[in-house]
């Protein structure tokens, strides 16, 4: 029996997944997702139904996987946060905002697709996987200072923070893009994170006599 790791490395599986992903995105532009069938997807991707089920349980599962794959490709690992953390709050905020602007722009440019997926396949599991993606792209060690003072692990703090970030972005995607451009939301998120992780200056004069 072929193992999971072997399947992932199998070029035939890669080709069929790529074809299926393209077929799903193509059909999402002209169909209500609730009306799309496995047969339509398999025909459009030029694969068999059994091959479809090697990649997804059903159309909802495929919708979530395709959306996550596209979002993952558009979301870089946040760079240089460690050095920024040692600097000013503005340095942290600017570093985060520059990096976060790219996936937010991707979401704005593909708003119809992502809104359709959320309406069709939104579930606690999908939202948990989005949080996992955010956790993967930002070092939870950023919250080590808060963890030391609170007794809560950095990863648990990061989960709560990223959960809030996810809901802020979902709300923006659904009905806030027209009022808040991606760059403005990126700046807002950068400021929020800098406030959470900036280390207070040691020995700073308090101004008291």
């Amino acid at each position: 029996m072929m193992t999971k790791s072997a399947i992932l490395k199998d070029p035939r599986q890669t080709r069929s997944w790529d074809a299926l992903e393209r077929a799903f995105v193509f059909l999402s532009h002209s169909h209500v997702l609730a009306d799309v069938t496995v047969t339509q997807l398999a025909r459009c991707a030029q694969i068999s139904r059994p091959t479809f089920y090697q990649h997804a349980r059903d159309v909802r599962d495929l919708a979530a996987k395709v959306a996550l794959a596209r979002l993952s490709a558009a979301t870089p690992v946040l760079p240089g946060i460690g050095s920024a953390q040692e600097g000013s709050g503005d340095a942290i905020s600017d570093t985060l905002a520059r990096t976060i602007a790219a996936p937010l722009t991707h979401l704005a440019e593909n708003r119809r697709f992502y809104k359709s997926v959320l309406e069709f396949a939104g579930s606690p599991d999908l939202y948990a996987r989005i949080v996992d993606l955010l956790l993967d792209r930002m070092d939870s060690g950023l919250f080590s200072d808060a963890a030391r003072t609170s007794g809560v692990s950095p990863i648990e703090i990061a989960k709560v923070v990223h959960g809030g970030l996810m809901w802020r972005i979902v709300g923006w995607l659904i009905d806030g893009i027209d009022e808040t451009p991606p760059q403005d939301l990126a700046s807002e998120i950068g400021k929020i994170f800098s406030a959470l992780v900036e280390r207070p200056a040691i020995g700073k004069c308090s101004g008291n006599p």
Side-chain angles (χ1 to χ4, degrees), residues 81-148:
I81 303 302
S83 59
Q85 190 178 7
E86 296 167 3
S88 68
D90 287 343
I92 300 169
S93 178
D94 291 347
T95 299
L96 289 165
R98 282 196 305 270
T99 308
I100 292 169
L104 291 179
T105 299
H106 167 79
L107 286 170
E109 291 173 348
N110 297 276
R111 181 186 187 186
R112 183 175 180 273
F113 170 79
Y114 285 105
K115 282 185 67 177
S116 296
V117 170
L118 289 174
E119 291 168 0
F120 174 62
S123 68
D125 177 66
L126 174 58
Y127 295 129
R129 289 157 74 183
I130 295 172
V131 170
D132 286 342
L133 170 62
L134 294 171
L135 286 168
D136 180 63
R137 301 307 161 88
M138 180 183 284
D139 182 7
S140 60
L142 284 170
F143 304 105
S144 58
D145 286 350
R148 279 193 291 271

Side-chain angles (χ1 to χ4, degrees), residues 13 139 172:
Q13 292 290 321
D139 182 7
W172 168 79

Side-chain angles (χ1 to χ4, degrees), residues 39-52:
T39 298
Q40 282 178 302
L41 284 162
R43 185 183 300 118
C44 186
Q46 297 184 322
I47 62 174
S48 66
R49 284 175 60 92
T51 299
F52 173 94

Side-chain angles (χ1 to χ4, degrees), residues 7-28:
I7 290 174
L8 292 175
K9 294 178 182 179
D10 187 338
R12 293 170 299 179
Q13 292 290 321
T14 300
R15 286 194 297 271
S16 60
W17 167 258
D18 290 344
L20 193 53
E21 182 176 357
R22 288 193 299 270
F24 179 82
V25 173
F26 174 78
L27 290 174
S28 73

